[in-house]
Amino acid sequence: MKKSLAQESLASRQLLWSALLAEECARQGVRHVFVCPGSRSAPLATAFAAHPELRCHVHFDERGAAFAALGVARATAQPAVVVTTSGTAVANLLPATLEAHEDAVPLLLLTADRPPELRGCGANQTCDQTTILAPHCRFFFDLPAHNSGFSPAALLGTLGEALAKSLHPLPGPAHLNIQMREPLLAASMDPTYPFASATLKKFFSPEELAPLQDWLRGSAPFICAASAPDDAAALLARIKQHRPQLLLCGSLRSHAEQRAVLRLVRELAIPCFADLCSGLRGQAADIRPAAEAMQFSPPVSSRRADKSPASGNFSGRARVLRLGGRLINPLVEKWCAEQHTLQITDGRHINPLNAPRDILTARLGALAEGIESCTATSPTTSWPSAPTEGKTAQAKKSAAISAKPPAHSAAPADPLVAAVQQHAPQGCALFLGNSLPVRIFDEHWTGRPDITAIAANRGVSGIDGNIATAVGCALGWERPTVAVVGDQTALHDLNSLALLRLLDEQSAPFTLIIVNNGGGRIFERLGHTARTKRPEVFLGVPADNFSAAARMWGIPYRAITAAVQLAPHLKKHHACQVVEICVE
């Protein structure tokens, strides 16, 4: 009997240990948690699912859950949490971790593990989990078990450091590998929020709880970390010293970053050539597709001026200000490598051709207000102030936008892009799958003023996890979302069709467009299929259609044969639907 009581006490303490993690995550601003069922992670799953301020999403596939968390984090710029059990479940997090690492997306990965006495001895479902994800994480820690002498304060401090490093100075994944001892759960214990002092005192000593007194009495995080403010005035001065003739913008992660770029364009009075994933196209008349930068020719007067020794003798080359993340079109990156480029980076090394350039590290999202402030106080710099509107004028403007389709700078030449651009719901967001859809949209999307959120997994440009990421983005965006993927991309992520059910609770419609063109047609563009007698090694295995897959999860499904037939389906306000374009 005493042994049974002691074991239940250990299990209760372990559940409270997990509940401390859930509470601190909520206080740190985490809102979405993806839980994958498993035994060793039972205390974590129970605690996170019980927290009233956390939206807990359950998915059976760890790989899809991690990509869905990646999508939420992309959309919100805040960490999303993934909870898994031990063993191969941890390995399934690797693809999304790689994407988050390369494209600077904050994630918190909580994986359950065996304690030291069960490692390296043939215990079931056990492997070395400390080396699987760590090389691709901003932070990693192998957390000892709750009864190992590691204090609750150390637990909260470690979690705070993990969340801080997932955001600053460069966002990315953080991994806590959490040792769990049996018994995993108590028979009659449930985490209590907010924590009852009497309950904690029953399972933790006064010495352990002493550092937590202020935390328990309030609602602030245990660790409050933030990045230092950037010197916007000095950065703007350095940019003007470069005398840029055009701005080349890669992918952007937030509205704050978009705002900073638009303010720079206005301040410097130069054209902006923007990647599709910047979300800038259609936001202003001087925003053009990135590929058009290759047609830019410096004015003759500037070429003459650049022949002086003081200018560095960059005759014939354009002076480029390079911002944001990766570019979809590699030819634009090659062109940029041949110019005189000043690059503002958040810490990522984005220079695939290793071209000579000046590089400054700064947080782009923090620049907008700083630039506005420093230019407002400068007697030599004028900043065009944005027009102000009263509530009545704003209401009339919103009504006018809703009453008619948004105007576009030009009709896209590609019929699929044209259909989405013309008929997608007002104010919607876009997710583009790899490999062909994102390239086609980058080439032909001319932009809409109401569509600013555009995302794609271009960190590693993987074909897997795209449906899951699109669902996660929709959860984070909380607005109508249109996702476009190819048939091979859909096949790589069929499990994630189950995630569409998570969108039923949202009023915003979600449309997944699957372009079924009979395999991996991107390889035809690359010339691979024409150089082999076995084109199927590139095209993959074609699928007749995806109707059965949609039916399996109860998702409304429509089949059409041409993109011009998309209009009525995009205008329907289903909670979620799959529209397949079966190219004949």
Side-chain angles (χ1 to χ4, degrees):
M1 177 66 71
K2 287 185 178 180
K3 184 177 181 182
S4 176
L5 289 174
Q7 286 183 330
E8 183 154 330
S9 176
L10 286 173
S12 298
R13 178 184 167 103
Q14 185 159 247
L15 183 57
L16 284 171
W17 189 256
S18 301
L20 289 172
L21 291 173
E23 174 68 14
E24 180 66 3
C25 279
R27 295 190 185 193
Q28 291 275 4
V30 171
R31 289 296 172 262
H32 292 268
V33 180
F34 292 82
V35 174
C36 303
S39 177
R40 186 63 52 168
S41 57
L44 291 169
T46 302
F48 276 85
H51 200 287
E53 294 180 19
L54 297 173
R55 292 183 63 181
C56 183
H57 312 289
V58 180
H59 189 46
F60 56 84
D61 175 16
E62 291 87 5
R63 187 177 74 159
F67 273 110
L70 175 85
V72 168
R74 275 196 191 282
T76 63
Q78 292 296 320
V81 173
V82 185
V83 174
T84 77
T85 188
S86 61
T88 57
V90 182
N92 284 326
L93 304 179
L94 182 57
T97 301
L98 289 172
E99 177 67 26
H101 169 75
E102 294 295 337
D103 216 23
V105 180
L107 281 181
L108 178 62
L109 310 169
L110 303 180
T111 60
D113 199 359
R114 263 64 175 172
E117 64 270 19
L118 292 179
R119 295 179 179 181
C121 62
N124 184 47
Q125 202 172 313
T126 304
C127 65
D128 184 1
Q129 298 180 190
T130 64
T131 59
I132 297 174
L133 306 176
H136 314 287
C137 290
R138 305 286 186 261
F139 179 84
F140 169 78
F141 196 83
D142 191 19
L143 273 172
H146 64 96
N147 56 351
S148 63
F150 199 74
S151 71
L155 176 75
L156 294 177
T158 303
L159 175 62
E161 185 178 4
L163 286 167
K165 289 187 175 177
S166 76
L167 286 167
H168 311 293
L170 177 65
H175 177 200
L176 296 183
N177 192 56
I178 306 169
Q179 300 171 26
M180 296 282 180
R181 282 195 171 98
E182 296 181 358
L184 296 169
L185 287 176
S188 58
M189 180 71 183
D190 207 26
T192 304
Y193 300 97
F195 291 103
S197 179
T199 304
L200 287 170
K201 288 179 180 177
K202 183 178 179 181
F203 298 103
F204 293 96
S205 70
E207 292 76 17
E208 288 178 309
L209 293 178
L212 273 63
Q213 293 308 310
D214 290 341
W215 184 79
L216 291 170
R217 282 193 289 264
S219 58
F222 190 76
I223 297 292
C224 298
S227 61
D230 295 296
D231 188 345
L235 182 61
L236 184 60
R238 177 64 185 85
I239 290 173
K240 288 186 174 181
Q241 182 184 3
H242 179 68
R243 293 182 295 123
Q245 296 163 323
L246 75 153
L247 190 154
L248 181 60
C249 185
S251 60
L252 298 175
R253 294 195 299 264
S254 66
H255 176 69
E257 291 189 347
Q258 292 174 340
R259 182 166 164 250
V261 174
L262 290 173
R263 289 196 174 277
L264 272 174
V265 170
R266 293 168 62 188
E267 168 68 13
L268 301 172
I270 57 175
C272 175
F273 298 88
D275 184 86
L276 171 72
C277 291
S278 69
L280 293 175
R281 295 186 197 173
Q283 306 312 304
D286 47 4
I287 306 293
R288 308 169 191 174
E292 293 185 12
M294 295 185 290
Q295 303 169 13
F296 182 85
S297 179
V300 175
S301 58
S302 69
R303 296 183 194 179
R304 291 170 180 166
D306 275 344
K307 289 183 179 180
S308 64
S311 69
N313 194 24
F314 297 108
S315 59
R317 290 196 280 169
R319 294 190 299 275
V320 176
L321 176 61
R322 172 81 158 83
L323 303 175
R326 289 172 173 80
L327 297 167
I328 293 171
N329 191 329
L331 295 178
V332 181
E333 197 71 75
K334 181 179 179 181
W335 174 86
C336 182
E338 298 168 350
Q339 312 308 313
H340 178 28
T341 300
L342 171 65
Q343 183 170 7
I344 311 298
T345 174
D346 54 11
R348 285 176 288 176
H349 180 63
I350 303 177
N351 186 6
L353 297 175
N354 295 304
R357 60 182 58 178
D358 297 328
I359 297 177
L360 298 176
T361 301
R363 291 184 303 116
L364 187 57
L367 291 182
E369 294 180 4
I371 292 173
E372 185 176 34
S373 174
C374 69
T375 53
T377 58
S378 171
T380 59
T381 306
S382 61
W383 186 277
S385 58
T388 57
E389 294 180 301
K391 291 184 178 180
T392 304
Q394 288 180 344
K396 289 181 178 180
K397 185 174 181 181
S398 299
I401 292 175
S402 302
K404 62 181 180 180
H408 314 307
S409 56
D414 183 85
L416 173 59
V417 180
V420 173
Q421 181 162 302
Q422 184 176 356
H423 301 294
Q426 180 72 17
C428 80
L430 295 181
F431 181 88
L432 287 313
N434 296 318
S435 320
L436 199 53
V438 71
R439 286 174 167 86
I440 292 175
F441 272 76
D442 184 52
E443 292 170 8
H444 298 284
W445 180 263
T446 57
R448 265 175 49 174
D450 61 309
I451 298 181
T452 59
I454 303 177
N457 281 348
R458 299 301 292 175
V460 191
S461 299
I463 200 174
D464 53 345
N466 280 225
I467 293 176
T469 308
V471 172
C473 283
L475 286 170
W477 281 324
E478 296 184 327
R479 67 175 74 179
T481 301
V482 176
V484 184
V485 302
D487 55 307
Q488 294 299 293
T489 298
L491 286 173
H492 273 76
D493 205 21
L494 272 184
N495 280 355
S496 294
L497 285 175
L499 286 166
L500 269 67
R501 296 179 303 168
L502 299 178
L503 302 172
D504 289 343
E505 61 195 67
Q506 296 195 168
S507 58
F510 178 89
T511 298
L512 173 64
I513 300 172
I514 300 176
V515 182
N516 191 341
N517 54 9
R521 299 297 171 180
I522 183 63
F523 296 108
E524 292 178 338
R525 276 194 169 202
L526 300 175
H528 295 352
T529 53
R531 298 186 181 99
T532 179
K533 295 180 180 180
R534 297 284 301 276
E536 65 271 18
V537 302
F538 296 111
L539 295 178
V541 180
D544 287 341
N545 61 71
F546 290 83
S547 59
R551 187 168 62 250
M552 180 178 180
W553 300 109
I555 304 167
Y557 170 88
R558 309 287 187 275
I560 59 179
T561 58
V564 294
Q565 301 169 358
L566 269 175
H569 305 293
L570 288 172
K571 292 176 180 178
K572 289 182 179 179
H573 289 272
H574 293 284
C576 64
Q577 64 175 337
V578 173
V579 179
E580 182 176 3
I581 305 175
C582 300
V583 180
E584 297 177 343

